[in-house]
Amino acid sequence: MIVWINGAFGAGKTSTARELIDLIPNSTLYDPELIGGQLRHLLPQKRLAEVSDYQDLPIWRRLVVDTAAALLSELGGVLVVPMTLLRQEYRDEIFGGLASRRIPVRHVLLRPDETILRERIATREEPDIPDADQRVRQWAYDHIEPYLAALDWIGGDAHVIDTSRLDPLQTARRIATAVRSGDAAVCEIVQTPEPTAETLAAGVLLFDEEDRVLLVDPTYKPGWEFPGGVVERGEPPARGGMREVTEELGIELAQVPRLLVVDWEAPRPPGFGGLRLLYDGGRLDSGEAGRVLLPGSELRGWRFVAEEEAAELLPPTRYERLRWALRARERGSALYLEAGVPV
């Protein structure tokens, strides 16, 4: 299990985590910031210069998950993780990766009043980093606004503790009590284990009366997606897509959808690639769209979007797949793609 302590820079996450490991039996402190520090020695300076924060590096997010899994395999028990996550897509990616390894996460947010947070930042010292106090303080100040903007989603996702009048030990006791009582519940993100070989996945495109396509927003990975998923062993792909539409949206398709695109996805570690199929599920009238029912543990939202908006929401590879599927729908014939390019 992981107890993930989130909050603004300067909220006292690390101090609280150090107290917490003495209160939760068989627990270990795991600070992902150490991974960011090591990447400065592992990656070329040219790559590091492309980002302003190591959290923007996909390798950091992957290593956070892999290291957590390795530590739990080695030590067992509980990992206490003090780490600020202000971008929801990064939280999705990391927590989704942990969920795929069957690692439950209890997400806790330390939330002092803004005035008190600023006072704590002003008096913060970095004894282990010579001459870094002012630089670290400015970094914390610069991230207050992103933190406040992120409270809408973090507050709905995490167990919130007002630490305005609490010191780290008192805060740690609150967290330990919330973990024992279940008030700090396990995050509901659910994801099937990561594949160990190539997979076959089927997505279904559903349209509204204006021919906009329906996209869904998964909780367990970054970027929007089409309704659909991995086809089960022995299951016809089109039927697999229909099953996923019912499971994800609560909509039962009356007819087997028409194939639009077959796309071969190249293996890209840690993924294995495989075939990705997109089908035309037809139009939903306003009544059918009004009956969409999302599983909260997997999807947080859905919407109909035009192709231009889809380009902003979908990762590039998924958008290329969609773009060619729309062309195939217009022409009335299926297309075969390799890595998103028609062959």
Side-chain angles (χ1 to χ4, degrees), residues 8-12 112-126 132-142 144:
F9 296 96
D113 291 337
E114 183 180 350
T115 302
I116 293 175
L117 175 62
R118 290 182 179 275
E119 291 174 355
R120 292 177 180 175
I121 293 173
T123 59
R124 176 172 176 160
E125 296 181 355
E126 299 294 328
D133 291 353
Q134 187 55 43
R135 176 168 51 83
V136 173
R137 288 187 196 121
Q138 189 57 53
W139 173 270
Y141 284 132
D142 291 344
I144 288 178

Side-chain angles (χ1 to χ4, degrees), residues 74-90:
E74 182 77 18
L75 303 173
V78 177
L79 292 185
V80 176
V81 183
M83 190 70 227
T84 299
L85 286 179
L86 301 183
R87 294 185 59 168
Q88 192 172 21
E89 62 267 32
Y90 291 173

Side-chain angles (χ1 to χ4, degrees), residues 8 86 111-112 114 117-118 143-152:
L86 301 183
R111 186 175 179 177
E114 183 180 350
L117 175 62
R118 290 182 179 275
H143 284 77
I144 288 178
E145 288 304 320
Y147 159 71
L148 295 174
L151 285 178
D152 284 344

Side-chain angles (χ1 to χ4, degrees), residues 214-219 224 249 294-295 298-303:
L214 188 150
L215 298 181
V216 294
D217 185 12
T219 61
W224 288 62
L249 304 176
L294 298 178
E298 296 182 22
L299 303 174
R300 73 165 61 88
W302 66 276
R303 69 172 80 164

